[in-house]
Amino acid sequence: MELDARTVVLVEGVSDRHAVEALAQRQGRDLAAEGVAVVAMGGAQAIGRFLELYGPAGLGLELAGLCDVQEEDEFRRGLERTLVHVDPALR
């Protein structure tokens, strides 16, 4: 992860990270220059650990995430356990 990142995008795996980075590049975005790091967690079940590391109780970075629809409940439980705000529009 970039040490100067202000925002972390949590994704399930390496292929998801590559997809997000490729899409950003196609849109002319330089994520590193914008202070954004895309972090592959190694699976949705790891969400709690990464929220604790990067979220309000850890480094206090702005968080975003992307998961497969079948992993939505796992992400939601991790968010609720760490008391990270979930935008109601995303429910």
Side-chain angles (χ1 to χ4, degrees):
M1 182 180 110
E2 295 292 322
L3 295 176
D4 58 349
R6 296 178 308 278
T7 301
V8 171
V9 180
L10 299 173
V11 297
E12 290 186 61
V14 175
S15 62
D16 299 307
R17 186 185 80 218
H18 291 307
V20 169
E21 292 170 342
L23 180 59
Q25 185 177 21
R26 286 186 191 150
Q27 296 295 316
R29 307 282 299 267
D30 182 347
L31 296 179
E34 294 178 36
V36 177
V38 182
V39 176
M41 300 181 301
Q45 74 286 350
I47 185 73
R49 181 171 43 125
F50 284 86
L51 292 172
E52 289 173 9
L53 177 62
Y54 297 119
L59 296 175
L61 302 176
E62 184 173 334
L63 298 171
L66 176 70
C67 68
D68 297 333
V69 69
Q70 65 266 28
E71 303 297 345
E72 181 181 355
D73 289 339
E74 188 75 39
F75 261 54
R76 188 177 311 283
R77 282 191 300 272
L79 291 166
E80 290 168 354
R81 281 192 306 268
T82 56
L83 302 176
V84 173
H85 171 74
V86 178
D87 186 335
L90 300 176
R91 292 181 183 201

